[in-house]
Amino acid sequence: MSAVMTADAPGAAARRDGSKPRKAGKRGPGSGAFWLIAPALVLIGVFLVLPYLNIIGMSLRPTAVGAPYGAGFTLANYASALGDRYVLGVLADTLLLGVTTVPICLLLGYPVAYHLARTRSRWGSLLYVLVLSPLLVGVVVRSFGWLILLSGNGVINRTLIDLGLLTTGLQLMNNRLGVTIALVHVFLPFMILPLVGVIQSIDPTLEQAARSLGASRLKVFWRLVLPMSWPGIQAGTILVFVLTLSAYVTPVMLGGAQVKTMSVLVVQNLIDNFQWPAGAAQALVLSACGMVAVWLYARLTGRFMKGLQ
């Protein structure tokens, strides 16, 4: 009987206070995980969703003379962006530039990432600093450095001429070659860092066990390391591809008037031509093409991974 009275004591005390007993397992409407993610949702809404909605609304406005846009709404800006051969050519060149930059960054970055993930040398910290050092310098400074190296009278051409290997300088800038070289340098750390994190999570004893069972280094890499490091490859390639599509400073400085990308074209429409609706429509077309390319890449790489397993 005392046990029953003890169990009923909290409820009786609550009733004497005039308050209702709380039911276990239920939370109030003001509590829960929603309030934990509310600040992040506000930031995303203010700095991502609202600007995109503004761009979408701007792209549906007609162009006007002496004003950013006219009254009413129209789809003429999208028809112009998708029906103009010049714009489509620039869009194709931009996508091709991204497709070219990504595999070069992957081929150069994977061995570096693997070495950083596996090294036990005291120089490992210095290697990390060397990889991260380009991120500590602005993209304008890095692009200007490549301009000095690749120009007609730059360091590379002057060295080759002084050594007697060339009589005239090579055309290393104001073309796709110079832009690609600079973009690889600018975005290579964004390929290396995701790979380092994923490769570090792979247990080295798995590779040692595979080697002890007679597998060659190439087979261990192809059947073990590569599939397990694929999340880092996907993250790095998508990141470099998206950044390449949106690059503006490097194509302007090293491409000049010979290399046009969609980012350069959008800025020209927004600032030089004062055609905000046309520039907004072109920016959204570039974003849509980039998202489609990323989706196709994810689908194709998913099938490739299934083939390796």
Side-chain angles (χ1 to χ4, degrees):
M1 182 174 180
S2 60
V4 174
M5 293 178 63
T6 303
D8 189 59
R15 288 192 293 272
R16 284 197 299 268
D17 295 340
S19 59
K20 297 181 179 180
R22 296 180 62 182
K23 294 183 179 180
K26 289 189 177 181
R27 296 179 179 178
S31 61
F34 172 77
W35 297 108
L36 297 177
I37 65 174
L41 293 177
V42 171
L43 290 176
I44 292 175
V46 172
F47 295 104
L48 182 63
V49 177
L50 288 181
Y52 260 99
L53 293 177
N54 186 33
I55 294 175
I56 293 173
M58 182 71 66
S59 67
L60 296 175
R61 294 286 191 172
T63 57
V65 179
Y69 54 85
F73 296 93
T74 180
L75 294 175
N77 298 312
Y78 289 98
S80 176
L82 297 175
D84 191 337
R85 291 185 177 181
Y86 176 74
V87 175
L88 293 178
V90 173
L91 177 61
D93 291 340
T94 305
L95 294 174
L96 181 60
L97 189 63
V99 173
T100 305
T101 304
V102 166
I104 298 176
C105 287
L106 180 59
L107 292 176
L108 294 177
Y110 198 100
V112 177
Y114 186 86
H115 180 73
L116 287 174
R118 291 289 186 259
T119 184
R120 296 296 181 265
S121 173
R122 60 181 180 177
W123 300 104
S125 300
L126 178 60
L127 294 177
Y128 269 108
V129 172
L130 293 177
V131 171
L132 295 175
S133 59
L135 301 179
L136 304 177
V137 183
V139 65
V140 176
V141 178
R142 283 178 281 172
S143 299
F144 186 76
W146 279 108
L147 189 148
I148 295 175
L149 291 173
L150 302 178
S151 63
N153 199 29
V155 176
I156 295 178
N157 279 324
R158 291 309 311 172
T159 302
L160 294 176
I161 292 175
D162 293 341
L163 292 176
L165 300 177
L166 295 175
T167 56
T168 58
L170 299 173
Q171 186 68 28
L172 299 177
M173 57 176 295
N174 293 327
N175 52 26
R176 188 175 299 277
L177 175 63
V179 175
T180 303
I181 292 174
L183 288 176
V184 168
H185 171 252
V186 170
F187 297 136
L188 186 59
F190 296 97
M191 178 67 73
I192 295 176
L193 294 179
L195 286 171
V196 171
V198 174
I199 296 175
Q200 283 179 336
S201 64
I202 302 175
D203 192 350
T205 58
L206 296 177
E207 301 176 48
Q208 298 172 5
R211 291 281 294 159
S212 65
L213 293 175
S216 62
R217 292 184 180 272
L218 180 61
K219 193 170 184 179
V220 170
F221 171 78
W222 186 256
R223 299 297 300 273
L224 179 66
V225 180
L226 181 62
M228 297 184 70
S229 63
W230 197 258
I233 295 176
Q234 284 185 322
T237 51
I238 291 174
L239 189 59
V240 172
F241 179 75
V242 172
L243 291 174
T244 303
L245 294 187
S246 60
Y248 171 74
V249 174
T250 303
V252 166
M253 295 185 65
L254 294 170
Q258 304 300 321
V259 178
K260 290 290 185 181
T261 62
M262 285 296 291
S263 298
V264 176
L265 191 62
V266 168
V267 173
Q268 287 180 348
N269 279 321
L270 293 177
I271 298 178
D272 298 338
N273 302 331
F274 201 60
Q275 295 181 354
W276 291 10
Q282 293 169 359
L284 290 174
V285 168
L286 176 62
S287 299
C289 291
M291 288 188 291
V292 170
V294 170
W295 178 78
L296 290 175
Y297 170 76
R299 292 291 302 272
L300 292 176
T301 53
R303 294 181 180 180
F304 174 74
M305 286 305 302
K306 290 181 180 179
L308 291 179
Q309 296 175 354

